[in-house]
Amino acid sequence: MIVLYLILLAVFQAVTEFIPVSSFGHLCVAEQLFGIGHDTGLLIEAMLHLGTAAAIIFLFKKDLKQIGIELLQMFLDVIGNINLFIHNKKTGKHLNYARIVTGTYRKFAALLVISMIPTVCLGLVSSRLAVLAADSSFFPGIGFLITGVLLLVTDLNRSGGTKGPREASYDTAMWIGICQGLAVFPGISRMAFTICAALLCGYSRKFAVRFSVFMSLPAIVGAFFTEVKYFGASEMTIGLGFASVFAMVIAGFVGCFVIRSMLQMTQKTKLRNFAYYSFVAGAVTLAVNFVL
């Protein structure tokens, strides 16, 4: 039965990961209905997210490859500039330093790196609280409502602009990274928070969605390595381990089929529609919590 439950969780994850409605919140609510606890921390959730991350990598492999190349070249340029600085100090010369951030891909890569700093800090600090919140039948409902309010305010405010990566600033990347870090709690949608933050900073909807998707990858990988220690827990039986890996594969497989349509929906659908869904999800979750 646990295998069937994990397959259903994988489908929930794949469908809700690419729209701003908190896949983590949906997983927690479903787990409570299925009677699945968090004796192994958030390992199962991290694995399911890793599965859908594979779908993102598959879809954007060319862009991700280019970003990886630019990150490597930026790192080499930094090393070269350090050596050049030492050389100038020793010789008294004034040789020119290489410019680190040049071109759209390098700027995009730099923005991703900057955004991850607050995300990592908040994720590490709040990891234990996230487990407690995941076990709560009350917090996911509140998280859904908070997500709905932010989406509705952003939509009614008609936020958004025409700015893209070239016009993006590093302080706004830091702000968006903070919003991603806050989404470690169930019900609070990572995609909703990051997209709304980008729109409120004047960025275009297309860039906001794209940046949100790309910045999720290091966060997901980092979360997995934070939780991977639970593979050695006594509660993680061999059967549960194989079932979790199988569910991760299912999440990635389903994600490959739905990612394009889900991202297109996120780009074109009014945010208020996602807000209304979040309000309903939050109300139902809280009602079930009080009834049961």
Side-chain angles (χ1 to χ4, degrees), residues 29 90 123 135:
V29 173
K90 288 183 177 179
D135 277 328

Side-chain angles (χ1 to χ4, degrees), residues 50-106:
L50 195 63
T52 48
I56 297 174
I57 294 172
F58 177 77
L59 178 63
F60 295 104
K61 53 182 176 295
K62 290 184 179 179
D63 290 323
L64 290 170
K65 179 181 178 181
Q66 187 62 43
I67 289 174
I69 292 173
E70 297 298 340
L71 280 173
L72 178 60
Q73 291 178 345
M74 288 169 65
F75 176 76
L76 294 176
D77 285 343
V78 169
I79 299 298
N81 284 345
I82 293 174
N83 290 330
L84 193 58
F85 174 79
I86 296 173
H87 175 76
N88 287 343
K89 282 293 184 180
K90 288 183 177 179
T91 62
K93 295 182 179 180
H94 299 283
L95 300 178
N96 294 327
Y97 298 103
R99 187 178 175 185
I100 304 300
V101 181
T102 57
T104 302
Y105 274 105
R106 281 203 179 192

Side-chain angles (χ1 to χ4, degrees), residues 133-214:
D135 277 328
S136 169
S137 57
F138 178 75
F139 197 94
I142 297 298
F144 282 129
L145 296 180
I146 293 174
T147 296
V149 170
L150 181 61
L151 288 167
L152 187 60
V153 169
T154 304
D155 185 274
L156 295 178
N157 193 43
R158 297 183 179 179
S159 300
T162 59
K163 292 195 296 184
R166 289 185 179 275
E167 298 83 14
S169 60
Y170 297 116
D171 58 333
T172 56
M174 186 75 74
W175 162 243
I176 297 171
I178 291 174
C179 290
Q180 177 166 256
L182 294 174
V184 70
F185 299 105
I188 298 180
S189 169
R190 184 204 63 79
M191 177 170 273
F193 267 53
T194 52
I195 289 177
C196 289
L199 293 177
L200 290 170
C201 291
Y203 297 113
S204 67
R205 182 80 168 265
K206 181 178 180 180
F207 172 74
V209 173
R210 192 178 184 85
F211 190 64
S212 176
V213 169
F214 278 41

Side-chain angles (χ1 to χ4, degrees), residues 155 205 265 268-275:
D155 185 274
R205 182 80 168 265
M265 182 190 302
K268 296 183 177 181
T269 304
K270 290 184 177 181
L271 293 180
R272 69 184 65 181
N273 294 327
F274 296 116

Side-chain angles (χ1 to χ4, degrees), residues 3 9 12 24 42 60 67 69 77 107 114 160 187 195 197 223 288:
V3 176
L9 291 178
F12 289 154
F24 186 22
L42 299 177
F60 295 104
I67 289 174
I69 292 173
D77 285 343
K107 181 65 176 293
I114 295 298
I195 289 177
V288 171

